[in-house]
Amino acid sequence: MSDKKPGIVLISGFLGSGKTSLLKKILSQYSQNYKIAVVQNEFSDSSVDSSDISSNTWKFELLDINKGSIFCICLFADFREKLEKLVIEKKPDIIIIEATGLADPISVGVLLNKSEHFYLKQVITVIDSHNFCKLRNVLKCIDNQIRVADIVIINKIDKVSQEEFDFVSKEITVINPNAIKIPARYSVVENILDIDFVNNNPISVNKKSSLSTPMREIYSDIFRTTKRIDLEKFNQMMGSIPEDIIRLKGFIRCTDGNNYLVQYVHGETVIVKYGEITCTELSYTGFKTFDINF
């Protein structure tokens, strides 16, 4: 392990774009040869993603910072203090930060570079090519996540046509002409931390979007219970999720005796059997409130 201060790799991207999948790929590729610290940032008081990656055998240090974006002024001082403590105590070679999908990291360089304990090495933004055009109409943070990126992973290309992919790729170039663009399925990118990039030209953050659609308010909440949930009622709830709900994820303990990992993104649902969990925990984010009730 080097005595040099560790570099931070920031993984940014909107909800459901594939950030956690990318983090898993990085850990599987690099955790044997490097001492890695992972910081996971959830907008809500939820630990679904950190519980998921912790269930694997990869070696890494984990720091959870929830209830808001780490780039919010109200959290950043506390975040820096925790990060510096992590570096001093654990001495990692690399720090990987998975920011909440609602984060607007436009000032990330200023915030993370002024430290004697770490420096910002690389910013990777993951884009959901299937929902990119629809979401950037109402969410300013998506453009800003692209603006600060060294690498933009254009994910879920299996869900779009060549024409749609070309359009998304051109839009990304307009926002950030200096970023390396990598098409991907399921966030599979080999050796991404070894990719060299040159970004000597400062990216303008004053570009005005031609979109006139007003930004919408985002709602987020979490449901927890230690009771087992009736599987039929759970399926009914999943079938009635309104389209204004962008993301729902979590773990559920069902009356059939099984536990499940639930992932819902823009109308697409994946439910798989999972190992031991202590309670049902479901969190959602969307443009309206949603009553999770069984």
Side-chain angles (χ1 to χ4, degrees):
M1 204 279 298
S2 172
D3 291 331
K4 295 180 180 179
K5 59 183 180 181
I8 291 176
V9 176
L10 173 67
I11 299 177
S12 182
F14 193 64
L15 303 166
S17 61
K19 298 187 301 298
T20 302
S21 295
L22 176 63
L23 174 60
K24 289 179 179 180
K25 300 295 187 300
I26 292 174
L27 288 173
S28 68
Q29 292 176 29
Y30 291 93
S31 62
Q32 294 300 316
N33 297 320
Y34 296 93
K35 189 172 184 180
I36 298 177
V38 173
V39 179
Q40 283 201 304
N41 173 216
E42 291 274 10
F43 188 76
S44 63
D45 181 17
S46 172
S47 56
V48 173
D49 289 335
S50 58
S51 298
D52 187 21
I53 66 167
S54 296
S55 67
N56 291 277
T57 58
W58 306 309
K59 295 180 180 179
F60 61 94
E61 301 292 335
L62 178 65
L63 176 62
D64 271 327
I65 300 179
N66 299 333
K67 298 184 180 179
S69 167
I70 54 174
F71 300 113
C72 173
I73 191 67
C74 59
L75 286 182
F76 191 74
D78 181 56
F79 164 60
R80 281 178 66 97
E81 184 178 336
K82 289 180 179 179
L83 198 56
E84 290 177 354
K85 182 179 179 183
L86 176 70
V87 172
I88 293 169
E89 293 182 352
K90 303 300 182 180
K91 296 180 171 56
D93 300 313
I94 304 168
I95 301 170
I96 302 174
I97 299 176
E98 181 189 353
T100 170
L102 299 174
D104 189 339
I106 201 67
S107 57
V108 59
V110 175
L111 295 175
L112 291 180
N113 271 329
K114 293 184 177 180
S115 173
E116 63 183 53
H117 298 282
F118 49 78
Y119 71 99
L120 180 61
K121 179 179 185 293
Q122 191 169 322
V123 180
I124 304 170
T125 295
V126 187
I127 293 299
D128 176 356
S129 59
H130 183 53
N131 291 290
F132 172 76
C133 296
K134 177 175 65 177
L135 289 174
R136 73 178 293 229
N137 282 340
V138 292
L139 294 161
K140 178 182 177 182
C141 66
I142 292 180
D143 278 16
N144 285 344
Q145 288 167 355
I146 295 171
R147 282 193 176 97
V148 301
D150 300 298
I151 297 172
V152 176
I153 297 176
I154 307 175
N155 200 27
K156 304 185 182 181
I157 60 171
D158 52 311
K159 296 181 180 296
V160 298
S161 67
Q162 184 64 48
E163 183 180 4
E164 290 171 320
F165 171 81
D166 290 342
F167 179 81
V168 171
S169 180
K170 289 178 182 177
E171 289 294 295
I172 290 170
T173 300
V174 170
I175 299 168
N176 182 353
N178 299 305
I180 295 173
K181 295 179 294 184
I182 303 175
R185 298 175 179 84
Y186 307 105
S187 296
V188 176
V189 180
E190 296 297 326
N191 305 316
I192 190 167
L193 299 191
D194 298 327
I195 295 175
D196 292 326
F197 56 88
V198 178
N199 191 1
N200 295 322
N201 300 319
I203 298 172
S204 170
V205 297
N206 297 316
K207 294 180 181 178
K208 294 184 179 180
S209 172
S210 60
L211 301 168
S212 58
T213 307
M215 301 300 154
R216 297 174 63 185
E217 185 174 0
I218 295 288
Y219 298 90
S220 183
D221 204 354
I222 190 165
F223 170 85
R224 289 190 181 98
T225 181
T226 56
K227 296 180 181 179
R228 286 198 173 269
I229 305 301
D230 181 82
L231 187 57
E232 183 177 349
K233 290 182 178 180
F234 171 68
N235 287 329
Q236 289 174 354
M237 187 276 291
M238 292 300 297
S240 64
I241 297 176
E243 62 179 21
D244 280 334
I245 301 303
I246 302 168
R247 183 83 161 102
L248 184 147
K249 61 183 177 180
F251 304 104
I252 183 167
R253 302 174 75 232
C254 284
T255 52
D256 66 350
N258 294 314
N259 303 320
Y260 298 92
L261 172 64
V262 182
Q263 298 278 2
Y264 171 92
V265 182
H266 308 295
E268 298 181 8
T269 302
V270 176
I271 302 174
V272 296
K273 287 187 178 180
Y274 201 74
E276 188 62 31
I277 58 175
T278 58
C279 70
T280 288
E281 179 179 310
L282 296 171
S283 65
Y284 80 86
T285 303
F287 296 123
K288 65 183 295 183
T289 57
F290 178 53
D291 185 20
I292 300 177
N293 193 11
F294 299 102

